[in-house]
């Protein structure tokens, strides 16, 4: 058998003298024997051209065997032959090259080398691009770093339900929502503790919503679902259930719905096993799969749910099962369920999906119809063709189950009256998968349709044009996505910018380190400044312990990005606005400012004359140092009823963050008293001094009223043309400081 060479060489190798190997030695391939026979025929000639021809033919055989081995390895490792179409085209091209070798044995060595070079170029051209792990990791890391730096916090629930409790756990102060009251306990401290430890170690910003956490676990789960079912290995089943269970128990319980199609696939799809172990009898495989599902689910419950219950028991000081409480509230809440926070029409998720995924979301929605058309029109175009031996036969059922998690999730949450954008985060990876499947099948349909109207010589051009169609769709989706990102940053990034400045502009009296030591004179002077009254006298008691500096917000409360953007010693104050629902309160802080815990009282022991002290875990984030985790706030409720005690009097606010839409008012209008509940504080220049301002898009006047203008970034000239001469009108998003004395 001729030896394999990696590339054609200019020097002719020694002429082989051994006879042609048998088909068993050649791997059982008839085509390989034909090529080898041609190689022997060429070696019987004593010319240099025949020697070069032998080299070319031998190299072609090597290339074909390498391609066949790679395709077989890909099929066996992934379970589904996703390179079926590419392999068919490669074998066809290789067959043409072999026929040319057999029919033109008298060709010169230069012609044969040119043919080999042409085949190599063709093979590299049709090879699908797949980035290395290093390139993929660097690209994804770059995107995540940019998102962490420039993205807006678009959901106030992420701030008040997760960032604020983590701030309380780390620093002892933060805002508390009713979900953390031990009476309701529908938020897990185990989830907060996990992210707090991660943030403490890595010092990196995290995406904190449970639906986002469930999105990560869904992606990892689906990586297991893409693998074929196995008869003799439970690894795929366990890890799929583990990721679903982790996302459902620690993150969001409803994310477990995406795992239902996986269970059906385990019980309905009987793939042929490539293992050398004894084949499972056909009537036993469903029973084995079912037992595997049950045992994996029990194992995941034990290793995930039990630690969650233990941690929540430690912080809440009572036994609670938070995932169960979440399901009971959202499903069986009745009049106090999630619908009291607002409802949306049935098309809400369709509009939101198109806004965030544009054409790819439409492609994801039509993936199942595209599958039906492709299966009945050109079934051989699907990956893992039914004609492939040893593979799954019912491809329609197989791919329907692969596409169904997205449809199942979409149907369940479309039927719910209460809808939020974050609920769709869980299936973001599935949207991408379904969209890719649609593009793949549409490309095959276009190729097969054009094949009917052109000659065979133009097949390569058809494949090129159909691949170009996919690139057009991807480039259009990328362009729209970039436009969306730029619009969000330009139109709505003002709150993040202002609070970043607030960290430096808000002055809080406290220890000032100079050369590694605290300067007590500066501390005393800063404390006395806040304690000075209007007549110039100093309150000695107030100077010893200055009051907390309040940074207040009114109508802009839901854009507050958390206390991480305020310096230590500054707290958020909520002032009255038109919102009449329940706003968060403050966690109960430790009575001892130094953080030292009082000694535990000794209790009589069972042994006479001896006492014992209860065991206590004393660490910085312990439940004893954070009493608010188990404290029951008296004014909290789960009915979204307003609590007046959560408001801060305006007189106690040293700083103010507010948004002023100057474009909505005329110069002659007395705008300072136009709204008694939400006055234009920034226009009150006698009491407030602007420290930092940036622009924020006004969506009620000017070009901002146009949905496309505010949703996507469009150049100004095109904006003026679309809105018939209107331009964007901006409001002022500002940080203001209360003036020490009214100006004359």
């Amino acid at each position: 058998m001729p030896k394999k060479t990696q590339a054609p060489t200019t020097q002719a190798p020694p002429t082989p003298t051994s006879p042609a190997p048998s088909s068993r030695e050649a791997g059982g391939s008839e085509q390989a024997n034909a090529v080898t026979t041609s190689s022997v025929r060429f070696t019987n000639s004593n010319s240099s051209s025949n020697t070069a021809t032998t080299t070319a033919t031998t190299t072609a055989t090597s290339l074909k065997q390498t391609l066949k081995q790679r395709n077989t390895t890909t099929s066996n490792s992934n379970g589904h032959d996703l390179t079926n179409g590419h392999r068919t085209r490669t074998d066809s091209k290789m067959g043409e090259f072999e026929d040319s070798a057999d029919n033109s044995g008298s060709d010169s060595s230069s012609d044969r080398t040119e043919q080999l070079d042409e085949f190599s170029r063709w093979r590299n051209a049709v090879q699908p691009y797949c980035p290395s792990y290093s390139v993929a990791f660097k690209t994804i890391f770059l995107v995540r770093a940019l998102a962490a730096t420039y993205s807006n916090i678009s959901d106030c629930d992420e701030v008040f339900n997760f960032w604020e409790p983590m701030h309380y756990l780390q620093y002892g102060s933060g805002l508390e929502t009713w979900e953390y009251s031990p009476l309701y306990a529908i938020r897990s401290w185990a989830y907060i503790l996990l992210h707090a430890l991660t943030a403490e170690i890595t010092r990196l910003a995290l995406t904190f919503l449970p639906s986002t956490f469930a999105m990560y676990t869904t992606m990892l789960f689906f990586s297991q679902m893409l693998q074929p079912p196995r008869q003799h290995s439970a690894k795929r089943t366990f890890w799929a259930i583990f990721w679903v269970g982790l996302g459902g128990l620690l993150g969001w319980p409803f994310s477990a719905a995406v795992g239902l199609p996986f269970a059906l696939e385990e019980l309905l799809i009987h793939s042929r096993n490539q293992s050398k172990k004894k084949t499972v009898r056909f009537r036993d495989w469903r029973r084995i799969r079912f037992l595997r599902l049950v045992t994996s689910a029990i194992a995941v419950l034990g290793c995930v749910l039990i630690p969650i219950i233990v941690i929540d028991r430690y912080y809440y000081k009572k036994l609670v099962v938070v995932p169960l409480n979440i399901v009971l509230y959202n499903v069986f809440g009745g009049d106090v369920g999630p619908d009291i926070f607002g409802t949306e029409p049935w098309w809400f998720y369709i509009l939101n999906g198109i806004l965030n995924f544009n054409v790819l979301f439409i492609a994801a929605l039509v993936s199942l119809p595209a599958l039906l058309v492709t299966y009945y029109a050109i079934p051989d175009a699907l990956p893992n063709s039914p004609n492939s031996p040893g593979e799954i036969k019912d491809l329609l059922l197989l791919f329907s189950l692969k596409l169904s998690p997205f449809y199942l999730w979409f149907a369940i949450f479309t039927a719910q009256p209460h809808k939020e954008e974050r609920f769709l985060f869980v299936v973001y990876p599935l949207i991408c998968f379904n969209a890719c499947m649609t593009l793949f099948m549409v490309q095959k349909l276009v190729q097969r349709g054009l094949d009917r109207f052109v000659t065979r010589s133009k097949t390569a051009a058809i494949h090129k044009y159909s691949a170009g169609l996919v690139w057009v769709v991807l480039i259009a989706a990328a362009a729209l996505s970039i436009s969306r990102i730029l619009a969000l940053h330009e139109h709505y990034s003002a709150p993040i910018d202002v609070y970043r400045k607030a960290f430096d502009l808000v002055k809080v009296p406290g220890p000032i380190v100079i050369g590694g030591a605290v300067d007590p004179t500066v501390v005393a002077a800063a404390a006395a400044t806040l304690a000075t009254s209007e007549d110039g006298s100093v309150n000695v008691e107030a100077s010893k312990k200055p009051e907390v500096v309040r940074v207040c917000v009114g109508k802009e409360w839901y854009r507050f990005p958390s206390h991480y953007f305020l310096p230590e010693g500054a707290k958020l104050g909520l002032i009255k606005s038109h919102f009449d629902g329940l706003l968060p309160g403050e966690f109960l802080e430790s009575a001892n400012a130094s953080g030292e815990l009082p000694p535990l009282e000794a209790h009589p022991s069972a042994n006479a004359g001896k006492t014992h002290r209860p065991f206590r875990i004393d660490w910085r984030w312990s439940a004893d140092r954070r009493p608010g985790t188990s404290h029951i706030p008296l004014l909290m409720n789960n009915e979204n009823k307003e609590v007046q005690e959560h408001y801060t009097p305006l007189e106690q606010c040293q700083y103010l963050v507010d948004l002023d839409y100057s474009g909505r008012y005329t110069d002659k209008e007395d705008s300072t008293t136009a709204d008694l509940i939400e006055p234009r504080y920034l226009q009150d220049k006698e009491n407030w001094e602007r420290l930092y301002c940036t622009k924020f898009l006004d969506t009620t006047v000017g070009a901002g009223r146009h949905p496309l203008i505010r949703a996507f970034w469009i150049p100004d000239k095109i904006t003026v043309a679309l809105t018939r001469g209107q331009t964007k009108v901006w409001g002022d998003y500002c940080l203001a400081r209360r003036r020490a004395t009214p100006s004359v």
Side-chain angles (χ1 to χ4, degrees):
M1 182 177 181
K3 295 183 179 180
K4 296 181 180 180
T5 58
Q6 297 180 352
T9 58
T10 56
Q11 297 180 358
T15 303
T17 56
S18 60
S22 63
S23 60
R24 181 180 183 87
E25 294 173 349
S29 174
E30 296 179 359
Q31 295 178 352
N33 291 334
V35 175
T36 307
T37 303
S38 300
S39 176
V40 175
R41 185 174 66 248
F42 292 148
T43 57
N44 292 331
S45 176
N46 56 4
S47 64
S48 59
S49 61
N50 287 343
T51 303
T53 302
T54 303
T55 304
T57 308
T58 304
T59 306
T61 305
S62 174
L63 286 173
K64 181 180 179 182
Q65 293 177 352
T66 303
L67 289 172
K68 184 180 298 183
Q69 182 180 5
R70 186 185 69 241
N71 292 334
T72 304
T73 304
T74 304
S75 175
N76 291 338
S77 61
N78 296 335
H80 309 307
D81 187 6
L82 299 179
T83 62
N84 180 62
H86 170 66
R87 182 178 61 184
T88 302
R89 294 192 303 272
T90 304
D91 289 344
S92 176
K93 192 70 175 179
M94 175 64 76
E96 296 177 3
F97 181 78
E98 292 173 353
D99 293 340
S100 176
D102 291 337
N103 297 330
S104 58
S106 61
D107 289 350
S108 63
S109 60
S110 60
D111 295 339
R112 187 52 51 88
T113 303
E114 291 179 358
Q115 293 178 2
L116 180 60
D117 293 339
E118 178 184 358
F119 171 76
S120 299
R121 289 193 299 269
W122 181 90
R123 182 176 65 88
N124 295 331
V126 300
Q127 181 86 7
Y129 172 70
C130 181
S132 63
Y133 286 107
S134 176
V135 173
F137 175 80
K138 293 176 181 177
T139 303
I140 295 175
F141 180 81
L142 177 62
V143 173
R144 295 295 298 163
L146 293 175
T149 305
Y150 297 106
S151 291
N152 308 323
I153 297 179
S154 58
D155 197 321
C156 63
D157 193 64
E158 179 180 3
V159 172
F160 296 122
N161 272 326
F162 305 102
W163 285 110
E164 285 298 300
M166 190 173 81
H167 188 274
Y168 174 71
L169 203 63
Q170 288 184 302
Y171 300 102
S173 63
L175 299 177
E176 179 184 16
T177 60
W178 66 271
E179 291 95 331
Y180 283 91
S181 172
L183 288 178
Y184 312 109
I186 65 172
R187 300 297 182 194
S188 175
W189 283 104
Y191 183 77
I192 302 298
L193 182 63
L194 172 65
H195 287 74
L197 292 173
T198 305
E200 191 76 10
I201 295 173
T202 62
R203 297 293 180 181
L204 294 176
L206 306 171
T207 305
F208 217 160
L209 284 171
S211 55
T212 308
F213 180 81
M215 178 186 70
Y216 301 149
T217 59
T218 298
M219 180 182 64
L220 295 171
F221 149 75
F222 202 71
S223 67
Q224 300 296 323
M225 190 173 179
L226 288 177
Q227 300 179 16
R230 295 185 177 92
Q231 306 294 356
H232 300 290
S233 175
K235 181 180 178 180
R236 170 182 182 263
T237 305
F238 172 79
W239 283 111
I241 295 180
F242 173 81
W243 293 120
V244 170
L246 183 65
L249 296 175
L250 185 59
W252 199 28
F254 302 103
S255 65
V258 299
L260 295 179
F262 173 81
L264 292 177
E265 182 187 78
E266 284 284 288
L267 299 177
L268 297 179
I269 301 297
H270 180 272
S271 63
R272 296 185 181 182
N273 204 16
Q274 302 295 336
S275 174
K276 296 181 180 180
K277 298 181 180 179
K278 184 178 179 180
T279 304
V280 180
R281 291 183 299 178
F282 185 80
R283 66 174 182 270
D284 295 336
W285 70 271
R286 279 195 175 91
R287 179 178 59 84
I288 294 175
R289 297 271 188 86
F290 178 78
L291 293 177
R292 185 187 300 170
L293 287 170
V294 173
T295 54
S296 298
I298 294 175
V300 171
L301 283 174
C303 63
V304 176
L305 183 59
I306 292 178
I308 294 175
I309 294 177
V310 171
I311 295 174
D312 288 334
R313 168 66 179 84
Y314 171 71
Y315 281 105
Y316 278 118
K317 304 293 186 182
K318 60 182 293 189
L319 182 63
V320 295
V321 183
V322 172
L324 178 62
N325 291 348
I326 295 176
V327 174
L328 293 177
Y329 171 76
N330 286 276
V331 179
F332 306 102
D335 296 336
V336 294
D339 294 351
I340 64 177
F341 297 101
T343 59
E344 300 292 342
W346 65 269
W347 42 263
F348 175 81
Y349 288 127
I350 297 178
L351 180 61
N352 186 267
I354 295 176
L355 186 63
N356 291 320
F357 281 91
N358 48 75
V359 294
L360 296 182
F361 189 79
I362 299 176
L365 287 177
V366 300
S367 58
L368 187 56
L371 173 64
L372 296 175
V373 173
T374 305
Y375 181 78
Y376 288 106
I378 46 174
D380 59 318
L382 289 175
N384 190 20
S385 173
N387 298 325
S388 301
E391 298 295 342
I392 299 171
K393 297 300 182 182
D394 195 348
L395 283 184
L396 181 60
L397 177 60
L398 173 68
F399 283 102
S400 297
L401 290 174
K402 303 295 186 186
L403 299 176
S404 60
F406 164 69
Y407 286 102
L408 178 62
W409 182 270
F410 187 79
I412 291 175
F413 283 87
T414 299
Q416 305 302 315
H418 178 65
K419 299 178 179 67
E420 297 184 38
E421 179 183 8
R422 59 191 174 97
F423 295 167
L424 203 61
F425 291 174
V426 177
V427 292
Y428 273 11
L430 306 182
I431 293 174
C432 297
F433 173 78
N434 284 34
C436 290
M437 287 297 299
T438 299
L439 294 179
F440 170 80
M441 291 181 287
V442 169
Q443 180 187 10
K444 295 300 180 183
L445 290 172
V446 171
Q447 288 179 359
R448 193 60 58 91
L450 294 178
D451 282 340
R452 297 177 181 271
F453 303 101
V454 298
T455 60
R456 183 176 180 182
S457 60
K458 297 182 179 180
T459 302
I462 293 176
H463 291 190
K464 181 179 180 180
Y465 293 146
S466 61
L469 177 63
V470 174
W471 276 107
V472 169
V473 175
L474 294 178
I475 292 174
L480 291 173
S481 299
I482 293 174
S483 177
R484 172 67 174 164
I485 294 172
L486 293 176
L488 291 175
H489 179 72
E490 181 183 13
H491 298 164
Y492 310 111
S493 63
I496 292 291
D497 293 339
V498 168
Y499 281 102
R500 283 174 178 165
K501 291 290 184 179
F503 192 88
D504 298 323
L505 296 177
V506 174
K507 303 302 181 183
V508 178
I512 299 180
V513 179
I514 300 177
V518 177
D519 187 352
T521 59
V522 177
V523 176
T529 300
L530 286 182
T532 303
S533 59
E534 295 182 358
D535 58 359
S537 61
V538 177
N539 188 334
V540 179
E541 296 297 329
S543 64
K544 293 180 179 178
K545 185 179 180 181
E547 296 181 359
V548 174
V549 174
R550 288 288 178 180
V551 180
C552 295
V553 292
K555 61 179 180 292
E556 290 299 304
W557 63 269
Y558 59 94
R559 293 194 176 103
F560 175 63
S562 80
H563 276 90
Y564 287 99
F565 287 79
L566 297 180
E568 187 175 358
K571 292 185 179 180
L572 185 73
L574 301 171
I575 55 181
K576 178 60 180 174
S577 64
H578 287 299
F579 179 76
D580 58 356
L582 177 64
L583 290 175
E586 293 185 357
F587 278 106
L588 178 65
E589 299 181 13
S590 177
N592 193 341
S594 63
E596 298 180 0
L597 297 178
L600 292 175
E601 297 182 0
H603 299 282
S605 176
N607 299 328
K610 295 184 179 181
T611 59
H612 75 280
R613 297 182 182 275
F615 174 74
R616 178 171 63 187
I617 302 176
D618 186 11
W619 63 310
R620 186 160 60 96
W621 299 347
S622 66
D624 294 314
R625 295 182 182 271
R626 303 292 182 258
T629 59
S630 58
H631 174 71
I632 300 177
L634 299 178
L635 301 177
M636 285 292 184
N637 63 83
N638 64 344
E639 301 175 359
N640 199 26
K641 292 183 178 180
E642 187 177 24
V643 176
Q644 296 293 334
E645 286 77 5
H646 289 176
Y647 293 115
T648 300
L650 184 61
E651 296 76 17
Q652 298 181 10
C653 300
Q654 288 83 24
Y655 294 88
L656 177 71
V657 175
D658 197 28
L659 174 60
D660 183 72
Y661 291 113
S662 58
R664 300 180 183 180
Y665 303 93
T666 61
D667 296 336
K668 297 180 180 180
E669 184 178 358
D670 187 7
S671 58
T672 58
T673 59
D675 191 338
L676 297 179
I677 298 179
E678 294 180 356
R680 298 179 65 189
Y681 296 106
L682 298 178
Q683 296 299 321
D684 185 9
K685 298 181 180 180
E686 294 183 353
N687 295 308
W688 297 102
E689 174 190 3
R690 297 190 182 191
L691 297 180
Y692 178 78
C693 294
T694 187
K695 62 181 183 179
F696 191 92
L697 182 66
D698 192 339
T699 59
T700 61
V701 296
R705 292 178 296 179
H706 198 288
L708 292 178
I709 300 301
R710 62 174 179 261
F712 297 95
W713 181 85
I714 301 176
D716 293 337
K717 293 183 179 180
I718 301 179
T719 299
V720 174
L722 291 175
T723 58
R724 298 180 181 180
Q726 294 182 337
T727 59
K728 296 177 182 178
V729 178
W730 302 92
D732 295 328
Y733 207 101
C734 299
L735 169 67
R737 177 176 58 193
R738 182 181 291 277
R739 292 185 182 274
T741 56
S743 60
V744 180

